Amino acid sequence: MSSVSVIKLTFLEREYDVRRINLCDFTEAGRPFESLVKFVRKTYNLPSEAKVLFKYNDDENDEVTVAEEDGLETAREVVAGMEDCKCLRLSVHCMAPEQAAAHTPPAEQPNQIEQQQVEIKSSEPPPDLHQLHFDLQVGCDMPVQMAVPWEHFPRGMFWTTLHKYILKQMAETFQQVPGPDTLFRYKDDEGDLVTLDSDEELKEALQLVTDGSINRLTIVVSACSGTGAD
């Protein structure tokens, strides 16, 4: 049965901060839920002892909890069968350890589990492009066209390099210095403003341009309490 690979995450305490990733970027074979939890902990700086759960609305509009590998695979299959659904939308729920006990599935025996290290692939630039072309929009100002040669991007540091370039352009072009709560987001093919903060998220954004889902990548810079561009 087919299943969707694109996941869109919203942490309830930060509803303005939407994340979009592709599960194909996670290298741990057969453990996408574990990889997704690791990504969420890192992205939202969650404590290691907290329990992470996900919820989604199924084909009958019921809210369903996802707390283990099988549940995530079922969610991906259900959404794949829903009309006009391009991705699996998951809300992220963080529970204190004392709340998590009732949601923790029975542990498997150690000899039944092959221990594997969770690793996230480094993004690779599209081979047919020599430059990263994008528009930079700061607040309500008009977008400015930018182009960065891929040769400026060290392997495995694509977002870090782009982030530094954007900060430089903000100072030189817009005469602005972003604060600690500044968000860097883009509008995806469903009209959502999606946060960029990692190689995986940048790769997913570039894939939308490559396959024609969006015409051009526009990075919108705004404070976290703002709504960004419409």
Side-chain angles (χ1 to χ4, degrees), residues 162-179:
L162 180 59
H163 182 250
K164 290 179 180 179
Y165 178 83
I166 291 174
L167 295 182
K168 182 174 182 289
Q169 292 301 318
M170 287 182 65
E172 296 178 355
T173 305
F174 298 92
Q175 290 77 51
Q176 293 193 33
V177 177

Side-chain angles (χ1 to χ4, degrees), residues 59-131:
D59 50 353
E60 297 180 332
N61 205 31
D62 290 325
E63 188 176 63
V64 181
T65 298
V66 176
E68 31 73 39
E69 298 288 350
D70 290 343
L72 178 59
E73 182 58 30
T74 298
R76 295 170 62 193
E77 292 175 355
V78 168
V79 170
M82 296 169 61
E83 188 176 358
D84 297 329
C85 282
K86 299 179 180 179
C87 64
L88 171 60
R89 292 176 177 265
L90 295 174
S91 58
V92 181
H93 301 256
C94 181
M95 303 173 62
E98 58 271 16
Q99 296 176 300
H103 296 269
T104 303
E108 298 182 53
Q109 294 300 318
N111 60 358
Q112 295 177 321
I113 302 176
E114 180 182 356
Q115 298 298 322
Q116 298 186 31
Q117 181 180 1
V118 178
E119 181 183 359
I120 298 177
K121 291 180 179 177
S122 295
S123 305
E124 295 291 348
D128 57 332
L129 297 179
H130 299 291
Q131 292 183 317

Side-chain angles (χ1 to χ4, degrees), residues 20-220:
R20 176 172 176 146
I21 61 171
N22 194 313
L23 283 182
C24 295
D25 294 332
F26 294 95
T27 61
E28 188 187 22
R31 310 291 289 183
F33 179 83
E34 184 176 334
S35 300
L36 189 60
V37 170
K38 182 179 177 66
F39 174 83
V40 167
R41 289 190 189 281
K42 176 183 176 183
T43 299
Y44 296 112
N45 195 28
L46 300 180
S48 58
E49 66 273 12
K51 174 73 173 182
V52 177
L53 298 174
F54 306 99
K55 294 186 179 182
Y56 74 101
N57 287 2
D58 68 4
D59 50 353
E60 297 180 332
N61 205 31
D62 290 325
E63 188 176 63
V64 181
T65 298
V66 176
E68 31 73 39
E69 298 288 350
D70 290 343
L72 178 59
E73 182 58 30
T74 298
R76 295 170 62 193
E77 292 175 355
V78 168
V79 170
M82 296 169 61
E83 188 176 358
D84 297 329
C85 282
K86 299 179 180 179
C87 64
L88 171 60
R89 292 176 177 265
L90 295 174
S91 58
V92 181
H93 301 256
C94 181
M95 303 173 62
E98 58 271 16
Q99 296 176 300
H103 296 269
T104 303
E108 298 182 53
Q109 294 300 318
N111 60 358
Q112 295 177 321
I113 302 176
E114 180 182 356
Q115 298 298 322
Q116 298 186 31
Q117 181 180 1
V118 178
E119 181 183 359
I120 298 177
K121 291 180 179 177
S122 295
S123 305
E124 295 291 348
D128 57 332
L129 297 179
H130 299 291
Q131 292 183 317
L132 168 60
H133 295 270
F134 68 99
D135 294 335
L136 180 63
Q137 179 178 345
V138 178
C140 297
D141 292 341
M142 292 294 294
V144 176
Q145 294 186 0
M146 303 281 175
V148 189
W150 280 116
E151 62 189 28
H152 292 177
F153 291 76
R155 179 177 175 83
M157 294 182 61
F158 299 112
W159 169 246
T160 300
T161 304
L162 180 59
H163 182 250
K164 290 179 180 179
Y165 178 83
I166 291 174
L167 295 182
K168 182 174 182 289
Q169 292 301 318
M170 287 182 65
E172 296 178 355
T173 305
F174 298 92
Q175 290 77 51
Q176 293 193 33
V177 177
D181 295 330
T182 300
L183 288 178
F184 301 86
R185 299 183 286 183
Y186 72 97
K187 186 172 288 188
D188 71 359
D189 54 344
E190 296 182 313
D192 291 319
L193 278 174
V194 179
T195 301
L196 284 172
D197 193 33
S198 68
D199 282 358
E200 296 75 38
E201 291 161 328
L202 177 58
K203 181 179 180 181
E204 176 61 19
L206 295 177
Q207 185 60 46
L208 290 174
V209 179
T210 301
D211 63 23
S213 298
I214 58 177
N215 293 327
R216 188 176 175 90
L217 178 63
T218 299
I219 298 177
V220 181

